[in-house]
Amino acid sequence: MASHPLFRSLALATAALLSVDGHAADAAPAVASFFDTPQVSQAELSPKGGYVAITTLLPGGVQALAVRDTSDLSKVTVLAKTAIERATITSIHWINDHRVGFTVKNLDNEFEGNLDEFAIDRNGDNRVHLIAGSWGHQQKQIGSNMVNRTLTAEYAYHGVTHDGSDDILVERYMWNNTDLAPDHSRLMRLNTRTQSLRSAFDGTQPPAVHAWFTDGNDVPRVVTSQVKGHCIASYRNVDDTSWTEISNGVCYQDQRFVPLFFDGADTLYVRANYKGYAALFRYKLKTMKMDAEPFVETPGYDFDGVPEVDRATRKLLGIHLRTDAGTTAWLDPAMKAEQARIDAALPGAINTVHCAQDCAASPVLLIASNSDRQPLQFILYTRASGAMIGLGGVHPDLKPAEMGRRSFHRYTARDDRSIPVYVTLPAAKVGGPQPAVVLVHGGPMVRGGAWEWDAEAAFLASRGYVVIQPEFRGGTGFGADHFRAGWKQWGGTMQDDLADAARWAAKQGWADPRRVAIMGASYGGYATLMGLIKDPAVFRCGVEWAGATDIKLRFTSTESDASKETLGYSLRLLVGDPDNAADAAMMRQNSPLLRAAELKQPLLMAHGLKDLRVPIEHANSFAAAVKAHNPNVTSIIYNDEGHGWRHPENRIAFWKQVETFLDQHLKHAE
């Protein structure tokens, strides 16, 4: 079929892909250039590499799923379209060389599930609506015809099979009588043409299964569960109808290992502690023993990686890793050599190279390339010639020269603990200390970021701010001791790390100590409020969104999506036990709600009415309490949002508000 105008003239000159010569433009890029829906958000090679599927925006703001012939990219078939303000395609996956699956999320539904699943032939024929999520029988967005065999929202896509069939793997969720989220799931096999459904294995399964791991034949072999604070891994032989525990320990404390993936040769790989950091180990299922030495270790960082597997040869080709930034450890010499050629052509970037399922037969490779100044873009690499053609990127309007440089450092907190931190400097070259923002990640039991381009940090830096992103204690990714040091430290040493980061940045000559703001979402929103209360001499103003405003309310809110397992075990271990007198006193002392009268600085706060993670009562209670003593508080409620901003128009409007707020209360403050 004829190509759409959008898909013409997409070839990029290799030398220009990551050019950062020249100076930043006088006018800062528009807010929408950072926070609008990505132009090209996903790309996936077909099993033999003859085609590439991408999600992209058509003129008028309509998202499309398109398939392009990798031997002639002008040959394009548009398979599906969806109105982006209502829904978005969150995942694309090749079922076989002739059939593509894709997942659609209703943006108006806060619950993480309720995903619609479709399958369609690459020529546009035989579209089937496999799972009807929250759209139900009202689904009109992409022109599907509902049939009686369409599954309900209690099912969700899990993964493809690799046997050339039309089957995919789906999870069937089951609920208890208490929690909003599913209690457990069972893995099923679904034919995407006939819609026939059957169990992926015979027999029973362990209780409270939340994660499934399949072998090289896509047969479920390992599951993980969480029961009464214990993290459990169980295993079955291919023909067994029962399961055997291979690991059982108190979560976060004494669990032996965490299963991660099987390679094509039926070897299980697990993450376990090694010299204080998580490393990757082989686990021998026949002997039920883990190797004594790690397969991959990343000293100074917890192992964080995903495998690249050739499904045809069942060979593990390499592992894509993250330390301070992304990299790939190739085991396959041919792929290692191709990586070197690609890196030479695209210097200064993290070039993550993906092969088709049948890697040896694929004529092309797919490159996901970005840097600290270059948002993610997708590039097709022809192996025979070395030619590269750009498929598009997430935010093509942004130019590297307009972005600030990011760097990784470590600073010493007041108790001598070393804290990792990312710093983004303004793109424009200016002399002397500049206004700064301490940007606090959510979680908090996660890793915050990496060296690669970050939309929020890049936006703030484009407005002239130094952006400081501490990997404070209690986060993951930097060793077991760093993680454990933050247990029950909400408002305590975790909070001190943020003030110490601001002081450290001032000592480096980057940040003006009189003009430092604090901001963040979720836990970062909590930390923003506590930072303004606890360290008024450090933080001049703050912006928080979707933030918890009272620790105890996390346990008592009837609107929260926290499970009884989380409330009964995880939160009590990591945050505090409200039934313990000392913990209860700590939680009262470190409650922004109970100390709202102490917050005197300007504050911008925003929450989603449909938030289940941090229900709206957090925002309403705190807004009422702080406004009684502080006239410089602006509170925004987005009626169609949950825990974060799914709708692009809300993201853009919010960050415009942030820009105006910081311009008034930070940049030009006396």
Side-chain angles (χ1 to χ4, degrees):
M1 64 182 289
S3 66
H4 191 284
L6 175 69
F7 299 113
R8 298 179 190 145
S9 303
L10 280 179
L12 300 177
T14 299
L17 282 175
L18 286 168
S19 174
V20 294
D21 293 334
H23 301 285
D26 292 336
V31 176
S33 297
F34 295 86
F35 298 108
D36 207 349
T37 302
Q39 181 67 44
V40 175
S41 55
Q42 301 169 72
E44 187 81 19
L45 287 175
S46 62
K48 293 186 180 299
Y51 300 87
V52 60
I54 64 173
T55 53
T56 188
L57 288 186
L58 300 176
V62 174
Q63 189 187 44
L65 169 63
V67 168
R68 307 180 71 182
D69 189 323
T70 59
S71 64
D72 183 357
L73 290 175
S74 68
K75 296 179 179 179
V76 182
T77 304
V78 176
L79 300 184
K81 301 177 185 179
T82 181
I84 195 63
E85 71 274 8
R86 298 288 297 168
T88 187
I89 299 170
T90 62
S91 174
I92 52 177
H93 27 272
W94 286 90
I95 298 166
N96 53 49
D97 253 334
H98 304 282
R99 197 154 175 78
V100 184
F102 59 101
T103 308
V104 177
K105 172 65 181 176
N106 176 359
L107 295 177
D108 285 334
N109 193 295
E110 162 64 2
F111 191 68
E112 291 299 329
N114 291 334
L115 300 170
D116 282 71
E117 186 67 24
F118 297 83
I120 189 170
D121 290 346
R122 72 167 191 253
N123 64 1
D125 294 340
N126 301 310
R127 175 159 51 195
V128 179
H129 193 172
L130 300 168
I131 301 172
S134 57
W135 295 109
H137 292 272
Q138 304 300 317
Q139 170 59 265
K140 302 292 184 184
Q141 292 293 315
I142 49 183
S144 64
N145 295 316
M146 301 295 296
V147 295
N148 290 334
R149 302 192 74 173
T150 300
L151 300 175
T152 63
E154 65 182 322
Y155 292 85
Y157 169 79
H158 174 83
V160 299
T161 58
H162 303 88
D163 55 6
S165 73
D166 293 319
D167 290 356
I168 60 173
L169 296 172
V170 298
E171 290 186 58
R172 182 185 178 186
Y173 296 119
M174 274 73 80
W175 281 259
N176 54 35
N177 295 322
T178 304
D179 299 333
L180 291 177
D183 176 74
H184 63 283
S185 68
R186 185 174 180 89
L187 203 62
M188 314 290 287
R189 195 172 175 111
L190 174 66
N191 186 284
T192 63
R193 294 189 187 275
T194 67
Q195 295 177 271
S196 63
L197 180 71
R198 59 185 175 87
S199 177
F201 65 99
D202 295 326
T204 60
Q205 65 184 58
V209 172
H210 288 282
W212 297 85
F213 301 88
T214 56
D215 62 17
N217 294 315
D218 303 299
V219 175
R221 301 285 299 283
V222 171
V223 296
T224 57
S225 311
Q226 190 168 336
V227 181
K228 295 183 178 180
H230 279 245
C231 285
I232 305 166
S234 304
Y235 157 76
R236 63 184 283 272
N237 287 312
V238 175
D239 298 324
D240 285 352
T241 57
S242 60
W243 298 75
T244 300
E245 282 189 6
I246 55 177
S247 178
N248 187 330
V250 177
C251 299
Y252 309 112
Q253 294 196 85
D254 59 7
Q255 63 189 94
R256 293 175 54 209
F257 56 78
V258 178
L260 293 183
F261 61 88
F262 281 86
D263 65 9
D266 208 26
T267 299
L268 176 65
Y269 291 80
V270 302
R271 184 175 61 232
N273 184 64
Y274 182 74
K275 297 181 180 179
Y277 295 89
L280 183 69
F281 289 80
R282 285 192 181 104
Y283 184 88
K284 295 182 176 64
L285 289 168
K286 289 185 178 180
T287 60
M288 295 190 182
K289 290 184 178 180
M290 188 174 69
D291 285 355
E293 296 296 320
F295 183 70
V296 175
E297 62 171 316
T298 50
Y301 304 88
D302 292 320
F303 172 82
D304 181 5
V306 294
E308 190 78 25
V309 178
D310 186 327
R311 292 289 178 172
T313 63
R314 297 177 176 250
K315 181 181 178 183
L316 178 63
L317 301 175
I319 299 176
H320 304 297
L321 301 167
R322 180 172 66 162
T323 54
D324 61 322
T327 188
T328 301
W330 290 111
L331 306 174
D332 180 75
M335 289 298 295
K336 185 176 182 179
E338 304 233 52
Q339 177 82 60
R341 287 192 287 271
I342 290 167
D343 287 344
L346 301 174
I350 304 298
N351 303 305
T352 304
V353 180
H354 297 287
C355 204
Q357 291 180 22
D358 188 347
C359 188
S362 178
V364 296
L365 299 172
L366 181 64
I367 306 168
S369 181
N370 61 354
S371 73
D372 61 333
R373 304 176 74 186
Q374 173 65 62
L376 182 67
Q377 57 182 353
F378 299 97
I379 302 165
L380 197 68
Y381 171 84
T382 302
R383 303 173 89 170
S385 65
M388 296 187 190
I389 299 180
L391 299 173
V394 293
H395 296 298
D397 292 342
L398 295 175
K399 309 305 179 187
E402 299 172 328
M403 302 293 101
R405 292 193 178 277
R406 285 170 67 77
S407 53
F408 178 74
H409 307 267
R410 294 178 182 269
Y411 65 92
T412 302
R414 64 191 68 181
D415 62 354
D416 292 329
R417 177 170 295 278
S418 176
I419 306 294
V421 61
Y422 290 92
V423 176
T424 307
L425 298 177
K429 293 183 178 180
V430 292
Q434 299 300 305
V437 174
V438 175
L439 184 58
V440 189
H441 71 72
M445 293 82 69
V446 297
R447 179 166 169 178
W451 172 78
E452 292 85 340
W453 188 85
D454 176 291
E456 295 175 358
F459 169 72
L460 292 168
S462 76
R463 269 52 187 173
Y465 301 105
V466 175
V467 185
I468 308 153
Q469 294 174 278
E471 297 285 350
F472 48 86
R473 72 190 76 198
T476 59
F478 297 92
D481 183 63
H482 187 79
F483 174 46
R484 288 175 180 251
W487 291 8
K488 298 186 179 182
Q489 289 299 317
W490 283 44
T493 54
M494 289 172 73
Q495 195 69 46
D496 294 339
D497 288 346
L498 308 180
D500 291 347
R503 294 187 177 101
W504 167 80
K507 289 180 180 179
Q508 308 311 304
W510 298 323
D512 179 352
R514 299 167 302 171
R515 293 183 294 167
V516 180
I518 184 170
M519 61 187 293
S522 195
Y523 171 80
Y526 164 86
T528 293
L529 300 177
M530 277 306 299
L532 294 172
I533 293 167
K534 188 174 181 180
D535 294 292
V538 176
F539 300 116
R540 189 181 190 104
C541 61
V543 181
E544 75 86 16
W545 61 109
T549 66
D550 180 52
I551 302 176
K552 187 177 181 180
L553 192 56
R554 295 204 64 196
F555 291 87
T556 60
S557 174
T558 59
E559 303 299 321
S560 171
D561 65 354
S563 68
K564 60 182 180 182
E565 179 73 24
T566 298
L567 294 173
Y569 298 95
S570 300
L571 282 183
R572 292 170 187 264
L573 174 69
L574 301 175
V575 180
D577 185 348
D579 296 326
N580 176 280
D583 285 2
M586 175 272 294
M587 292 160 67
R588 289 191 298 271
Q589 174 63 24
N590 295 324
S591 165
L593 179 61
L594 299 182
R595 300 179 61 179
E598 299 176 51
L599 199 159
K600 304 297 185 181
Q601 306 96 307
L603 171 67
L604 173 63
M605 53 188 300
H607 286 247
L609 185 64
K610 299 179 179 180
D611 195 338
L612 299 176
R613 186 63 43 83
V614 181
I616 194 64
E617 59 186 305
H618 279 265
N620 290 339
S621 298
F622 187 82
V626 72
K627 286 180 179 180
H629 305 275
N630 187 340
N632 293 318
V633 175
T634 300
S635 178
I636 305 168
I637 303 296
Y638 294 110
N639 293 332
D640 56 351
E641 295 289 8
H643 196 60
W645 320 141
R646 299 183 190 273
H647 297 274
E649 65 272 20
N650 291 338
R651 287 198 301 271
I652 295 167
F654 171 73
W655 285 98
K656 285 182 177 179
Q657 287 269 82
V658 171
E659 180 176 19
T660 300
F661 176 86
L662 293 178
D663 190 68
Q664 177 183 355
H665 297 292
L666 187 65
K667 182 180 291 184
H668 300 299
E670 295 296 330

